[in-house]
């Protein structure tokens, strides 16, 4: 099999400025080598900061101006490190194309879909505008966009996340590239949409006879799409092998750790393994290897929701409006110390339901009703003063810690502010001591108090967001996709932390997610939502073992399971 791309001893450093007259450099990629054969899929796997995206962006020199590259990147025998700007511009989009993680930041918001697909066709293929439009319609149909002719006129914001990613793939495929670089193309998508995009890319790879360089932090996803896997950590290759060997006989401790730390639909551990524990040969704590213990079904009911509904008014024509029912007749009970998992695709109403419980949707128009009883009192009917007191007891952790923490506040200010507002603590020194104690609870030390959010990783920021909630000594936490944006290793740490805090403080969780494997690990009961309706509700073990609804079975079937040996062949 001939090699399409060969990366040899690639090093990438970033100039960080001068200190005492000496230029400081941060080495991000430390002399890695691997090959991408023709008509094959090679996956780069690793945590954030492993260097996998820097490696991929080095191929077409899409790195910032302070990057320095050395080594060799041979594409069909040409060394791209020696290529000039004009030569690279001729290759970008034509011979090598890219699909990125966030289509909304990659697609131009002021151009419609037709313009964005036609641009590479006209630039690289020499097609006229009319010819490019015909080809653009064909491409939209090929990537599974319904009514492709009509959707050509749409703008990115008028499409769902899955449709936006399909448009990005259509743009990338416009000139029939020989190599497609896909950088975390499914990370931000629901499991069902993720499944559709993965199957689409695999099908297009075969039909276009191109190679695919697939970048991900999730070995479960990688195992289903790749032929060969390159595992990276700290800018180095830790293991490189065919996909079946990576899953059936991994050699490196880091590879084994990545495989071990992801929640599973088939196992029920009390705790998840984390990377450092696995590499050091430590167990995941005193409960490692044991199944999770079922919660007390007779625990007192803390919150009872009856007939909760929420709708929004949408524009209809020039002057008209229509009602959109986002949440319809939701009913559940949340017991003390228990976790209710809420699952569904984007648009199912799960986040709207969670925010309605917290009365965070009241000012956005539309109607809201039903009962949310908390220790017998209806939260939806409380006056402003009573609700202000009750807000201490019910807190929320959002998906994106980058957006939910004030970038101008130190971590100390972030933790002290809610205590000052609600009168917790006798003085500043007391609140400072409480804040430090909470940081230690979530695995951070006192030095974090004087730092700002940008000085922390995503996982550390999410720990800080959880600590901020705990400053008010709440009884209920609503966690809205709180781990979906995290690497699987960091995700395991945060999930273990949530279980520890629940055991210590008797917290109750409403855990909103699209990932049933994660929900299975942390939840006692699961509520499945589709189009605003609750379509299934059961104890977690019962729902996973015997789902009653086709929609639930489809969600379960979309969870990545890693490499599966083809039928009729040995694993």
């Amino acid at each position: 099999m001939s090699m399409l791309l060969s990366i040899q001893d690639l090093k990438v450093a970033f100039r960080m400025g001068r200190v005492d007259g000496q230029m400081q450099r941060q080495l991000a990629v430390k002399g890695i080598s691997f090959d991408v054969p023709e008509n094959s899929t090679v996956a780069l796997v690793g945590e954030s900061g492993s260097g996998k995206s820097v490696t991929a962006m080095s191929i077409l020199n899409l790195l910032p101006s302070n990057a320095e590259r050395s080594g060799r990147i041979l594409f069909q025998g040409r060394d791209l490190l020696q290529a000039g700007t004009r030569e690279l511009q001729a290759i970008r989009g034509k011979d090598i194309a890219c699909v990125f993680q966030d289509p909304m930041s990659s697609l131009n918001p002021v151009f419609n879909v037709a313009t964005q697909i036609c641009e590479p066709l006209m630039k690289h293929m020499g097609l006229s505008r009319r010819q490019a439009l015909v080809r653009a319609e064909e491409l939209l149909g090929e990537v599974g966009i319904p009514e492709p002719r009509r959707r050509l006129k749409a703008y990115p914001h008028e499409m769902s996340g899955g449709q936006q990613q399909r448009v990005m793939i259509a743009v990338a495929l416009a000139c029939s590239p020989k190599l497609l670089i896909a950088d975390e193309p499914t990370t931000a998508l629901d499991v069902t949409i993720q499944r559709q995009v993965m199957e689409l890319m695999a099908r297009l790879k075969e039909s276009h006879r191109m190679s695919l360089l697939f970048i991900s932090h999730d070995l479960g996803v990688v195992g289903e799409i790749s032929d060969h896997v390159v595992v990276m950590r700290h800018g180095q290759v830790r293991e490189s092998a065919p996909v079946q060997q990576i899953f059936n006989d991994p050699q490196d401790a880091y590879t084994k750790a990545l495989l071990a730390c992801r929640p599973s639909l088939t196992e029920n551990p009390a705790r998840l393994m984390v990377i450092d524990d696995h590499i050091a040969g430590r167990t995941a704590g005193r409960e490692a290897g044991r199944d999770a213990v079922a919660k007390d079904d007779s625990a007192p009911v803390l919150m009872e929701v009856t007939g909760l509904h929420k709708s929004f008014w949408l524009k209809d024509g020039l002057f008209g409006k229509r009602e959109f029912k986002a949440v319809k007749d939701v009913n559940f009970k949340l017991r003390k110390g228990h976790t209710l998992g809420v699952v569904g695709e984007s648009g199912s109403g799960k986040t709207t339901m969670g925010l309605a419980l917290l009365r965070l949707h009241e000012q956005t128009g539309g109607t809201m009703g039903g009962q949310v009883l908390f220790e017998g009192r209806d939260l939806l009917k409380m006056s402003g003063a009573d609700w202000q007191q009750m807000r201490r007891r019910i807190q929320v952790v959002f998906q994106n810690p980058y957006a939910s923490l004030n970038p101008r506040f130190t971590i100390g200010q972030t933790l002290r502010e809610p205590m000052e507002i609600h009168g917790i603590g006798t003085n500043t020194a007391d609140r400072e001591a409480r804040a430090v104690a909470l940081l230690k609870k979530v695995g951070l030390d006192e030095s974090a108090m004087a730092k700002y959010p940008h000085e922390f990783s995503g996982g550390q920021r999410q720990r800080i967001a959880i600590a901020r909630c705990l400053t008010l000594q709440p009884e209920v936490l609503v966690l809205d996709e709180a781990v979906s944006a995290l690497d699987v290793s960091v995700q395991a740490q945060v999930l273990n932390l949530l279980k520890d805090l629940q055991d210590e403080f008797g917290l109750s969780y409403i855990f909103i997610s699209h990932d049933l494997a994660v929900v299975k690990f942390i939840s006692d009961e699961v509520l499945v939502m589709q189009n605003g309706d609750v379509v299934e509700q059961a104890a977690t073990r019962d729902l996973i073992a015997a789902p009653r609804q086709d929609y639930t079975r489809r969600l379960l079937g979309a969870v990545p399971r890693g490499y599966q040996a083809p039928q009729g062949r040995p694993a």
Side-chain angles (χ1 to χ4, degrees):
M1 184 180 295
S2 59
M3 292 301 164
L4 180 68
L5 178 75
S6 181
I7 292 180
Q8 301 172 5
D9 194 29
L10 176 67
K11 296 183 179 72
V12 183
F14 293 92
R15 296 187 298 276
M16 307 301 290
R18 293 185 179 276
V19 176
D20 297 329
Q22 296 292 320
M23 178 62 69
Q24 303 298 304
R25 290 175 172 82
Q26 178 70 43
L27 192 59
V29 177
K30 305 170 183 177
I32 70 167
S33 301
F34 65 89
D35 297 323
V36 180
E38 290 184 352
N39 194 30
S40 69
T41 300
V42 174
L44 286 181
V45 184
E47 301 167 274
S48 294
S50 63
K52 57 187 188 297
S53 291
V54 172
T55 299
M57 295 304 100
S58 295
I59 296 170
L60 289 174
N61 196 19
L62 297 177
L63 297 171
S65 59
N66 66 328
E68 297 176 345
R69 302 174 300 160
S70 64
R72 302 179 79 196
I73 300 177
L74 301 179
F75 178 71
Q76 293 185 317
R78 290 179 290 177
D79 189 351
L80 298 185
L81 288 187
Q82 306 303 320
T85 301
R86 189 180 297 274
E87 186 178 355
L88 283 175
Q89 287 176 341
I91 293 173
R92 292 171 185 158
K94 184 177 186 296
D95 294 323
I96 304 177
C98 299
V99 177
F100 299 104
Q101 176 176 345
D102 183 8
M104 271 306 289
S105 64
S106 303
L107 294 171
N108 193 321
V110 302
F111 291 147
N112 62 20
V113 169
T115 300
Q116 301 192 56
I117 300 178
C118 288
E119 182 181 14
L121 288 168
M122 296 165 66
K123 177 178 176 61
H124 291 297
M125 308 299 287
L127 301 186
S128 66
R129 173 74 178 177
R130 179 173 297 180
Q131 291 171 323
L133 281 172
V134 172
R135 179 59 183 147
E137 183 180 344
E138 293 174 354
L139 284 164
L140 284 187
E142 194 174 355
V143 299
I145 296 286
E147 302 180 84
R149 178 172 295 183
R150 183 176 68 85
R151 302 302 277 178
L152 283 172
K153 300 176 182 178
Y155 289 84
H157 72 272
E158 299 177 296
M159 311 180 88
S160 69
Q163 289 174 328
Q164 290 168 5
Q165 198 61 286
R166 289 170 185 266
V167 170
M168 272 296 301
I169 294 171
V171 173
L173 292 177
C175 300
S176 299
K178 299 177 179 66
L179 175 65
L180 179 64
I181 300 172
D183 188 2
E184 300 272 12
T186 63
T187 299
L189 303 178
D190 292 340
V191 285
T192 50
I193 305 300
Q194 174 180 265
R195 167 74 55 189
Q196 294 171 19
V197 170
M198 285 168 55
E199 291 175 350
L200 169 66
M201 294 181 75
R203 186 172 68 250
L204 292 173
K205 173 233 170 191
E206 292 300 327
S207 62
H208 287 257
R209 297 196 60 79
M210 64 182 178
S211 293
L212 178 62
L213 181 59
F214 189 88
I215 301 163
S216 179
H217 64 259
D218 190 343
L219 272 168
V221 172
V222 163
E224 298 195 0
I225 196 171
S226 60
D227 304 307
H228 193 95
V229 179
V230 179
V231 181
M232 293 186 64
R233 191 187 198 201
H234 300 156
Q236 297 175 311
V237 172
R238 295 293 295 259
E239 186 166 2
S240 179
V243 63
Q244 61 269 28
Q245 180 179 322
I246 291 290
F247 278 83
N248 297 334
D249 187 25
Q251 301 299 304
D252 190 82
Y254 180 63
T255 308
K256 295 175 183 177
L258 281 178
L259 288 166
C261 67
R262 198 188 192 289
S264 167
L265 286 174
T266 56
E267 298 175 356
N268 192 34
R271 297 177 66 76
L272 294 170
M273 291 292 287
V274 298
I275 295 289
D276 291 339
D277 284 342
H278 199 287
I279 290 177
R282 297 189 296 265
T283 62
R286 57 185 173 82
E287 298 179 11
R290 301 181 189 174
D291 283 350
V293 179
K295 299 287 179 62
D296 180 10
D297 290 337
S298 63
V301 174
L302 196 60
M303 179 183 288
E304 184 172 358
V305 175
T306 307
L308 179 67
H309 58 273
K310 171 63 184 165
S311 63
F312 299 92
W313 293 111
L314 302 178
K315 287 186 66 175
D316 189 9
L318 191 58
F319 300 108
K321 63 179 181 178
R322 60 185 175 87
E323 187 179 22
F324 171 68
K325 296 180 179 180
V327 175
K328 314 165 192 173
D329 193 30
V330 172
N331 305 279
F332 65 82
K333 294 179 181 179
L334 179 65
R335 297 185 180 274
K336 184 175 178 59
H338 283 224
T339 299
L340 173 71
V342 183
V343 298
E345 300 169 284
S346 293
S348 63
K350 58 187 187 297
T351 292
T352 302
M353 185 273 289
L355 297 181
L357 295 175
L358 298 161
R359 291 172 51 168
L360 294 177
H361 268 317
E362 288 183 302
Q363 306 304 319
T364 58
T367 59
M368 184 167 71
Q371 275 191 333
V372 180
L373 298 179
F374 189 87
E375 295 184 343
R377 302 179 65 190
D378 190 350
L379 300 182
L380 301 185
K381 294 181 180 178
M382 280 188 178
S383 65
D386 289 341
W387 175 238
Q388 182 72 1
Q389 289 299 314
M390 188 59 72
R391 287 178 69 178
R392 280 184 51 178
R393 304 174 67 183
I394 308 172
Q395 288 290 299
V396 60
V397 179
F398 295 104
Q399 174 178 354
N400 186 357
Y402 296 88
S404 60
L405 296 175
N406 190 328
R408 297 186 178 183
F409 277 15
T410 65
I411 302 310
Q413 291 173 300
T414 295
L415 297 182
R416 288 194 305 268
E417 183 189 38
M419 291 190 278
E420 291 166 355
I421 291 173
H422 289 276
I424 296 174
T426 54
N427 52 41
T428 300
D430 183 26
R431 294 179 187 118
E432 191 95 5
R434 289 170 182 258
V436 170
L438 285 172
L439 282 176
K440 291 179 179 177
K441 289 283 185 192
V442 300
L444 298 171
D445 58 35
E446 187 174 356
S447 66
M449 292 286 286
K451 295 180 180 178
Y452 289 86
H454 72 269
E455 298 179 75
F456 296 90
S457 68
Q460 288 172 324
R461 293 186 208 199
Q462 200 62 290
R463 289 168 180 266
I464 292 165
I466 293 169
R468 180 178 59 184
C469 291
L470 296 178
T471 59
L472 298 178
Q473 302 166 338
E475 295 160 63
V476 175
L477 284 187
V478 177
L479 299 125
D480 185 12
E481 299 279 11
V483 300
S484 63
L486 305 177
D487 290 343
V488 286
S489 55
V490 179
Q491 182 184 87
Q493 295 171 16
V494 174
L495 290 172
N496 285 340
L497 169 65
L498 290 171
K499 278 204 167 185
D500 290 342
L501 294 172
Q502 186 172 56
D503 293 340
E504 182 174 355
F505 298 111
L507 297 170
S508 300
Y509 296 146
I510 296 175
F511 192 89
I512 299 168
S513 178
H514 63 258
D515 190 337
L516 267 165
V518 170
V519 167
K520 175 184 179 294
F521 170 74
I522 200 166
S523 302
D524 306 294
E525 184 180 2
V526 180
L527 184 150
V528 182
M529 295 190 69
Q530 182 185 26
N531 299 327
D533 291 308
V534 176
V535 297
E536 188 161 357
Q537 188 172 353
T540 303
R541 57 183 179 275
D542 297 333
L543 184 135
I544 298 296
R548 298 191 305 271
Q549 299 294 321
D550 287 340
Y551 179 69
T552 309
R553 286 191 283 270
R554 195 160 72 247
L555 287 177
L556 284 166
V559 175
R561 286 171 167 79
Y563 175 74
Q564 305 290 319
Q567 291 187 354
R569 292 191 202 171

